[in-house]
Amino acid sequence: MRYFLFGCFFLSITSASGQGSPFIFHHLKEKDGLSNNFVNCFLKDSRGILWVGTVDGLNRFDGSHFYIFKKKKQANSIINNAIHSLCEDKQKNIWGATDNGIFCYNPETNVFKNYLSPNSRLAPSTANIARAVYNIICDSKGNIWATGIWTVLKFNSSKDVFEENEPLAPSSDSLYYYEVRKNGIIEDPSGNGLWLATRRGIHFYDFKTQQVLNFKNHRDTLFTGRRVAALCKSPSGQFWFFDNNTQQIFGFDPATRAITRRIDMAAAMPDAIGATLFEDSEHRLWFSSWSTEIAVVDLHTNNLTRLRNDKNEPLSIAGDFFWCAAEDKDGTLWLGTLSGISKCNASKSLYRIYRMEEKLPFLKGNSIRLMVEDPTDKSWWLVTRNTLFAIHYFPENGKYDVYDFQFAEKDIRGALPAPVYKIRFINNKPVLCTHTGAWQIETTTHKIVPFIVSRSIDPGFLIKGMVEQNGIYYLSDGREIIKYNSFNDKVDRIKYPYEKLKDGQPYGIGEFLIANDNKIWFSMAVGWLGYLDEKNEIVPVCTITNKEEEMNGYFTSIAADKKGKFWLANRGIGLYSVDPSNGSAKYWTEADGLVHNIIDVAVPDDYGNVWCVAYNKFSVFTPSLGSFYNFTLPLSEASLTYDNGLTRLSNGNILASVQNDLVEFYPERLSVKPNIKKPFIGSINIAGNEKFIGSGNSVLLDPEEKSLSIKFGMLTDNETFPYSFEYRLEGIDENWITAGASNQAVYNKLPSGRYTFHLIARAKNGAWQSPETTMKIKIKTAFFKSAWFYTSIIILISVLLLLFYRFRINKQRQLHVLTNKAQLLEKEKTLVMYESLKQQLNPHFLFNSLTSLSSLIETEPKAASGFLDSLSKTYRYILKSRDNETVSLIDEKKFAENYVKLQTTRFEKGFIVNMNIPEEFYHRKIVPVTLQNLIENAIKHNIIDEDSPLQVDIFIENDYLVVQNNLQKKKFVETSNKHGLVSMASLYRYLSNRPVEINENNNLFTVKIPLL
């Protein structure tokens, strides 16, 4: 392969402030939320988020807000705070190289995984130092590569570890020379290997052969004799590196390995030691040196611009060294310096600044109040306010000439020029209009001489204002106009015929303006303009629409736009427009969006805008939109003792003065659109807890999370493409809301429900609008307020009502059944009582009882009395208990005892009754006359004889009352209807779940009555 060397390019060197630097920097620092001003690396990921690695923390930046990650004691934490390099893998994980190994961060899950770099080949004393990793990249195939102190590491995903490749250094003693430099690893465009930069030169690691090409095995101009640093890849695919041996920047083609360009930096930066190189899309090569010097090489012109930080200049670069650089699709360059992030877009910046005081030290304590472009060579004429100078400045090369008014030639009255308020060009020579007259600058003789239009004009006429139109001169002394025709030397004096205007104001003749219809216009008083008509007469025009307010200011400038409309600066009111065709006027104040009511000058540009300035504050008014775009430049912020100048240049640019600084604006850049992208919703903050918004752009919140703050941003540079955010929460906000400076939306006490948050970015001048970003938000409903809860309650109530209804129906049924039962019970009871009573009233029973009583009266009168008492108690009990469903067992026992006495009197020893009822059962219940009926039933159906007595046993068994008798049946029972026991059993079925048990065997007849 043939290698060749291009010729060395020699540089022309300029200062960043000499002829007006295009490099205007804006900064992001710790005060803006950055974790540390010492920035090491950048990564813009596939989501549109910028990741910033510093010496003290990892930063996630959405364009408005920094979110910081630092090492913590808990497990889910970054491995080390010093971040040297960042990359993103195919799965959208963020990998970082740190002082103590490597981390992998999953933004979707917010989880860190850490890896220590392997140190198997190093001695224990060296191992801790060797854990530092300075570079990490993801190649085109998705492999993760990193470089440690002396080796190349590759991530083995199957084993989840980093593994060492063959070391570059032959031994640990040569680590210094073979250490891969920071910013010293790039994948070859072919995807076949890695290029590495070390102090021993360029190395190429081949993926296929796993071999390293370097000075040892390739003796050619690329590999031999180099001490390489600052390796980078250009947009065109060319590689750059800095050789510390020769102090030269080399460009080479990685495909052919041929050196294609060489730039000698020794003359411009003799102390240069390479640290960082970066080529932007405009083919400017940015170089940072360990000697704390920064240079920008224009590869088209070979012009080198030195950049330096100036603590008194807020628009200078933040620091004199940068470790990293990145360029977005809009051409904005991001530099990570030792003192924060500096952003610059030299090709699209709205303005450039000329630091005139640096070039002209005599301006200190003075200020530039007026500028005008020389039509002959496009140079600029400047005049000062205090110590009077006229400066002829050539912006293309920074050269200048100075004219001191002290050395001006006096006029016939012996006067010198006063402060200048207008510069006109007569015969291609500048004429200065002052309050003491007009002077002309002779550039050939370098003199300032009194201006004489013609000897025909009264030399005593004090020229304070003038304008020339096709050889016709209009001159004013403030009260009168002289019209001079240079072709015929004719002089006409024109004077307003009245001493005062119609509203009583004294009139004057102010600044002249040639309108689009060639009429001569001028200001006359507060709220009054005038023009010369065809008869050379002065015609006043009143512009006042609100006399009470508009009498507070006066006109200080007048200019016409392309459509012929006049635009006037009114010091005290604001901005005026006047339509000369009908004299209609309109004005705008701070209340309408103007930056300040006190403005010195208003100038329309070629794009339909009107520029106004008040000190270092600017307003750009777009009449078609009726809106103002306001901005402030960080210039002369500590002083208000100066006037502003503002003029339109022939190239369409607007030139302004801010004390001793000149600012050249590029109006056409106001309409330049960025690479329009959607805004980014970075996080949602709830009670101090930050939740990052993932790729789904949806949030589910708990019922108590009703107050929230939504933060958003966009990486489009707001300084280059000024814009603001507008948002709306669907369901809450009826109209779009413009976000404040904090770029967040705050909502409190949101009701539960579903919402959609809408977000757009809109250019402040209305030139563009971003696509809309939306985020779905759902706030869970508290369970007691949710639809399912109400539905459940309704269902529950319905079920309860149904159950209650069925319960009532069942109760009704039960009541009906119980009523029927009660009726049947009453019937059964009545039958039982009737049977009992019938038994007692049975003629046999009554006859037998009376017979027994009669015999006792004769033989045993006392016993007869007891018998009669028992008989009466028997009938009394039956009659007393007929209305009761149940009676206590003790009462029934007593009743049965009385009945037994009657029967014992009758049958004597032939009838035996044994009652054994424990007292604990006395409170239990049975149906009235149950025992009596069962005893009577035994007597009725059995033979009673002293030789074979009838024995009835009454006792308690298993919660039953048992009535048992020996069985000696009669053959014929004349009073039995065989329904007694059946009725009794039926009655007890209604009162107990346990049945009446009736058992009969050869010897015993047993009836068991359930106790109630």
Side-chain angles (χ1 to χ4, degrees):
M1 186 177 293
R2 185 169 173 234
Y3 302 98
F4 58 92
L5 181 66
F6 260 54
C8 183
F9 289 87
F10 296 96
L11 304 172
S12 60
I13 304 169
T14 62
S15 166
S17 60
Q19 288 117 276
S21 173
F23 303 113
I24 304 296
F25 292 95
H26 302 279
H27 313 298
L28 294 168
K29 298 193 175 190
E30 290 176 15
K31 64 180 179 61
D32 303 301
L34 186 64
S35 66
N36 192 280
N37 282 339
F38 196 145
V39 178
N40 276 329
C41 54
F42 291 132
L43 168 68
K44 185 177 180 181
D45 71 12
S46 56
R47 301 173 181 84
I49 300 170
L50 182 69
W51 297 86
V52 183
T54 73
V55 297
D56 190 25
L58 175 66
N59 298 258
R60 178 183 188 263
F61 185 57
D62 61 14
S64 300
H65 311 93
F66 285 98
Y67 305 92
I68 299 172
F69 302 85
K70 288 191 177 184
K71 182 175 175 57
K72 299 177 181 178
K73 291 184 178 180
Q74 55 261 44
N76 185 31
S77 172
I78 196 168
I79 192 171
N80 189 271
N81 289 338
I83 319 296
H84 294 291
S85 181
L86 294 166
C87 73
E88 182 183 26
D89 66 18
K90 302 292 186 180
Q91 290 73 43
K92 299 183 179 181
N93 296 311
I94 307 301
W95 294 78
T98 78
D99 267 354
N100 194 36
I102 297 166
F103 69 82
C104 177
Y105 173 67
N106 186 328
E108 292 292 330
T109 61
N110 195 31
V111 172
F112 281 93
K113 190 167 188 180
N114 298 318
Y115 303 88
L116 291 175
S117 55
N119 304 307
S120 59
R121 295 184 176 93
L122 297 180
S125 60
T126 317
N128 289 334
I129 301 174
R131 287 202 178 107
V133 180
Y134 294 122
N135 299 285
I136 190 165
I137 65 169
C138 178
D139 68 21
S140 54
K141 296 178 182 177
N143 298 310
I144 303 298
W145 298 84
T147 61
I149 287 290
W150 77 327
T151 190
V152 178
L153 309 174
K154 183 181 179 182
F155 183 63
N156 187 327
S157 57
S158 61
K159 296 180 179 179
D160 196 31
V161 295
F162 277 89
E163 296 176 336
E164 292 177 304
N165 283 31
E166 190 66 24
L168 300 177
S171 68
S172 59
D173 295 334
S174 56
L175 289 181
Y176 174 79
Y177 298 103
Y178 287 90
E179 173 192 356
V180 177
R181 311 299 300 272
K182 193 167 178 175
N183 299 326
I185 178 172
I186 302 177
E187 183 185 11
D188 189 82
S190 67
N192 294 327
L194 300 175
W195 290 90
L196 308 168
T198 75
R199 292 182 178 88
R200 290 306 302 268
I202 286 285
H203 301 254
F204 179 74
Y205 176 76
D206 191 303
F207 290 159
K208 293 182 180 179
T209 64
Q210 297 186 3
Q211 298 297 314
V212 177
L213 305 181
N214 54 26
F215 70 97
K216 296 179 180 179
N217 48 35
H218 277 70
R219 308 296 295 181
D220 57 42
T221 55
L222 178 61
F223 292 105
T224 304
R226 308 291 180 201
R227 192 155 59 97
V228 176
L231 182 64
C232 81
K233 179 182 176 182
S234 75
S236 63
Q238 177 175 266
F239 283 15
W240 297 97
F241 68 86
F242 187 82
D243 183 357
N244 285 329
N245 283 339
T246 62
Q247 291 185 310
Q248 292 176 336
I249 298 173
F250 287 89
F252 73 93
D253 183 344
T256 63
R257 300 173 193 164
I259 294 177
T260 58
R261 190 159 182 177
R262 185 173 60 179
I263 302 171
D264 194 343
M265 301 292 291
M269 302 173 68
D271 298 323
I273 303 173
T276 310
L277 277 171
F278 182 83
E279 183 183 342
D280 66 24
S281 59
E282 297 292 329
H283 301 293
R284 288 181 289 249
L285 193 59
W286 298 71
F287 173 66
S288 175
S289 167
W290 280 104
S291 58
T292 61
E293 298 174 282
I294 297 174
V296 182
V297 179
D298 189 320
L299 298 176
H300 294 299
T301 64
N302 293 325
N303 182 66
L304 181 145
T305 303
R306 298 284 296 273
L307 300 178
R308 62 180 177 83
N309 169 255
D310 183 348
K311 63 181 180 180
N312 297 318
E313 173 47 79
L315 297 177
S316 67
I317 192 168
D320 292 328
F321 180 92
F322 67 88
W323 256 135
C324 57
E327 185 179 22
D328 61 27
K329 292 183 179 179
D330 299 320
T332 300
L333 189 70
W334 299 63
L335 299 175
T337 78
L338 302 182
S339 189
I341 299 170
S342 288
K343 298 183 294 177
C344 173
N345 194 323
S347 302
K348 295 176 183 175
S349 177
L350 183 59
Y351 57 91
R352 70 163 61 193
I353 298 175
Y354 298 80
R355 296 293 190 179
M356 302 307 295
E357 192 172 313
E358 291 183 11
K359 197 162 190 69
L360 309 172
F362 61 84
L363 287 177
K364 188 173 184 180
N366 211 332
S367 65
I368 300 169
R369 66 172 300 174
L370 186 64
M371 310 85 61
V372 67
E373 185 181 44
D374 193 318
T376 61
D377 58 7
K378 313 306 179 189
S379 59
W380 299 343
W381 288 91
L382 322 172
V383 293
T384 58
R385 173 184 176 181
N386 300 329
T387 305
L388 300 180
F389 295 99
I391 303 165
H392 191 196
Y393 181 71
F394 299 88
E396 73 278 2
N397 56 27
K399 295 181 179 181
Y400 60 91
D401 290 318
V402 179
Y403 298 83
D404 191 338
F405 285 18
Q406 295 182 77
F407 304 109
E409 184 179 316
K410 295 179 181 179
D411 65 8
I412 60 172
R413 294 174 291 110
L416 289 172
V420 179
Y421 57 84
K422 198 68 178 179
I423 302 176
R424 301 289 188 181
F425 287 89
I426 306 298
N427 298 322
N428 294 327
K429 295 180 181 180
V431 177
L432 314 177
C433 299
T434 79
H435 292 290
T436 57
W439 272 261
Q440 185 170 321
I441 296 179
E442 299 284 354
T443 56
T444 55
T445 61
H446 205 78
K447 290 184 177 180
I448 303 174
V449 298
F451 176 64
I452 300 173
V453 179
S454 172
R455 301 295 178 183
S456 301
I457 297 175
D458 181 0
F461 188 84
L462 189 63
I463 302 174
K464 294 182 178 180
M466 63 178 298
V467 68
E468 184 265 341
Q469 183 184 38
N470 299 324
I472 308 285
Y473 293 83
Y474 297 88
L475 313 174
S476 167
D477 64 356
R479 292 286 293 176
E480 185 179 359
I481 296 174
I482 288 181
K483 180 181 179 182
Y484 172 69
N485 190 325
S486 63
F487 299 107
N488 56 21
D489 204 31
K490 181 181 178 182
V491 177
D492 292 316
R493 298 184 76 118
I494 305 169
K495 188 175 183 180
Y496 187 58
Y498 306 103
E499 290 296 322
K500 294 183 178 180
L501 297 169
K502 288 183 179 180
D503 62 357
Q505 290 189 74
Y507 77 91
I509 305 298
E511 182 179 345
F512 286 114
L513 171 68
I514 302 175
N516 290 12
D517 60 1
N518 293 321
K519 284 184 180 178
I520 305 300
W521 284 77
F522 40 84
S523 59
M524 294 188 70
V526 176
W528 287 85
L529 297 178
Y531 67 90
L532 291 178
D533 65 9
E534 294 82 357
K535 300 178 182 180
N536 287 330
E537 293 180 352
I538 296 175
V539 180
V541 176
C542 182
T543 64
I544 294 175
T545 59
N546 184 341
K547 186 174 182 180
E548 183 177 345
E549 181 175 331
E550 293 181 60
M551 294 302 290
N552 295 325
Y554 57 93
F555 294 132
T556 55
S557 76
I558 179 172
D561 64 20
K562 287 185 173 182
K563 295 180 180 180
K565 183 176 287 188
F566 296 166
W567 295 93
L568 302 96
N570 186 304
R571 191 173 178 86
I573 302 299
L575 176 65
Y576 269 78
S577 74
V578 176
D579 187 340
S581 64
N582 55 27
S584 62
K586 187 177 181 180
Y587 67 93
W588 294 265
T589 68
E590 285 186 47
D592 302 303
L594 183 65
V595 71
H596 206 294
N597 285 343
I598 300 176
I599 58 175
D600 289 323
V601 61
V603 174
D605 64 22
D606 294 336
Y607 303 92
N609 304 307
V610 181
W611 294 69
C612 308
V613 59
Y615 302 108
N616 65 336
K617 302 178 186 298
F618 291 83
S619 275
V620 183
F621 179 60
T622 305
S624 61
L625 300 175
S627 63
F628 288 90
Y629 162 48
N630 299 328
F631 58 94
T632 300
L633 299 184
L635 305 173
S636 302
E637 295 178 301
S639 175
L640 296 177
T641 58
Y642 60 91
D643 301 319
N644 294 109
L646 197 65
T647 187
R648 180 174 57 201
L649 303 176
S650 59
N651 61 5
N653 294 346
I654 301 294
L655 186 65
S657 66
V658 180
Q659 199 160 9
N660 286 323
D661 295 314
L662 297 182
V663 185
E664 185 177 4
F665 292 99
Y666 303 94
E668 76 279 4
R669 295 183 182 178
L670 283 172
S671 59
V672 173
K673 298 179 181 179
N675 177 47
I676 299 175
K677 57 183 75 72
K678 284 186 177 182
F680 185 80
I681 299 175
S683 70
I684 183 167
N685 188 296
I686 304 164
N689 296 320
E690 208 84 46
K691 292 184 177 181
F692 294 130
I693 306 302
S695 57
N697 267 22
S698 62
V699 178
L700 179 63
L701 303 178
D702 291 328
E704 65 275 9
E705 296 177 327
K706 296 179 178 293
S707 296
L708 48 92
S709 171
I710 303 170
K711 296 180 179 179
F712 39 81
M714 193 164 69
L715 288 178
T716 300
D717 183 24
N718 210 328
E719 300 293 342
T720 306
F721 308 97
Y723 60 89
S724 58
F725 291 103
E726 296 178 12
Y727 63 86
R728 180 173 66 90
L729 186 62
E730 189 176 321
I732 298 295
D733 301 320
E734 293 185 4
N735 301 310
W736 289 91
I737 298 171
T738 301
S742 61
N743 288 341
Q744 61 180 327
V746 179
Y747 294 95
N748 293 307
K749 298 181 180 179
L750 289 173
S752 297
R754 297 177 183 271
Y755 302 93
T756 301
F757 182 74
H758 301 265
L759 176 68
I760 60 171
R762 191 189 305 274
K764 290 186 176 180
N765 65 352
W768 56 270
Q769 176 185 312
S770 75
E772 187 176 287
T773 295
T774 60
M775 178 178 66
K776 301 290 184 182
I777 300 174
K778 180 182 178 182
I779 302 177
K780 296 178 184 177
T781 304
F783 78 94
F784 55 84
K785 292 183 179 180
S786 62
W788 69 264
F789 177 79
Y790 288 119
T791 303
S792 300
I793 291 297
I794 293 172
I795 293 172
L796 179 61
I797 292 173
S798 300
V799 170
L800 290 175
L801 289 174
L802 179 62
L803 292 175
F804 180 71
Y805 173 76
R806 296 185 65 179
F807 171 77
R808 290 297 302 271
I809 294 296
N810 289 333
K811 284 296 181 184
Q812 291 286 347
R813 289 175 181 169
Q814 291 176 8
L815 181 61
H816 181 70
V817 170
L818 289 175
T819 302
N820 290 338
K821 279 186 176 181
Q823 291 174 351
L824 290 172
L825 180 64
E826 189 65 28
K827 181 179 178 181
E828 296 291 343
K829 176 186 171 186
T830 302
L831 288 173
V832 171
M833 298 294 290
Y834 171 74
E835 288 294 328
S836 176
L837 182 61
K838 190 166 70 170
Q839 291 294 332
Q840 307 308 318
L841 297 177
N842 186 296
H844 293 283
F845 173 75
L846 186 60
F847 175 78
N848 292 334
S849 297
L850 293 176
T851 300
S852 300
L853 179 61
S854 175
S855 67
L856 286 173
I857 291 173
E858 294 179 356
T859 59
E860 297 181 51
K862 290 184 179 179
S865 176
F867 183 89
L868 182 61
D869 181 61
S870 295
L871 183 62
S872 66
K873 285 180 179 178
T874 299
Y875 283 106
R876 187 183 303 116
Y877 178 79
I878 293 172
L879 294 174
K880 179 181 176 183
S881 59
R882 66 182 179 180
D883 295 328
N884 298 328
E885 288 186 357
T886 61
V887 295
S888 63
L889 188 57
I890 183 62
D891 290 340
E892 184 71 7
K893 178 176 176 292
K894 289 177 181 179
F895 165 64
E897 287 172 347
N898 286 326
Y899 178 72
V900 169
K901 283 182 182 180
L902 293 175
Q903 299 300 335
T904 303
T905 302
R906 177 183 170 192
F907 297 112
E908 296 180 348
K909 295 181 181 179
F911 181 64
I912 301 170
V913 177
N914 300 315
M915 287 193 190
N916 185 18
I917 300 175
E919 291 185 3
E920 62 264 26
F921 292 96
Y922 283 176
H923 67 285
R924 302 293 289 277
K925 304 287 186 179
I926 63 172
V927 174
V929 301
T930 296
L931 283 176
Q932 187 267 335
N933 277 330
L934 293 175
I935 295 170
E936 177 65 28
N937 188 66
I939 293 170
K940 184 189 297 184
H941 291 85
N942 292 281
I943 298 171
I944 302 175
D945 186 72
E946 290 186 0
D947 294 332
S948 56
L950 176 66
Q951 182 172 324
V952 179
D953 296 316
I954 301 172
F955 56 92
I956 301 296
E957 183 180 86
N958 296 328
D959 210 36
Y960 274 87
L961 176 66
V962 181
V963 179
Q964 189 179 74
N965 63 274
N966 57 327
L967 196 61
Q968 39 193 29
K969 290 185 178 181
K970 292 179 179 181
K971 293 182 180 180
F972 174 74
V973 180
E974 49 179 83
T975 61
S976 174
N977 57 14
K978 300 182 180 180
H979 291 155
L981 289 179
V982 174
S983 296
M984 181 178 291
S986 176
L987 177 62
Y988 270 95
R989 267 199 308 272
Y990 292 108
L991 298 175
S992 174
N993 293 325
R994 296 177 295 165
V996 173
E997 296 180 10
I998 301 174
N999 298 311
E1000 181 180 342
N1001 56 32
N1002 294 331
N1003 299 317
L1004 296 173
F1005 184 82
T1006 306
V1007 178
K1008 293 183 178 182
I1009 303 297
L1011 291 176
L1012 306 176

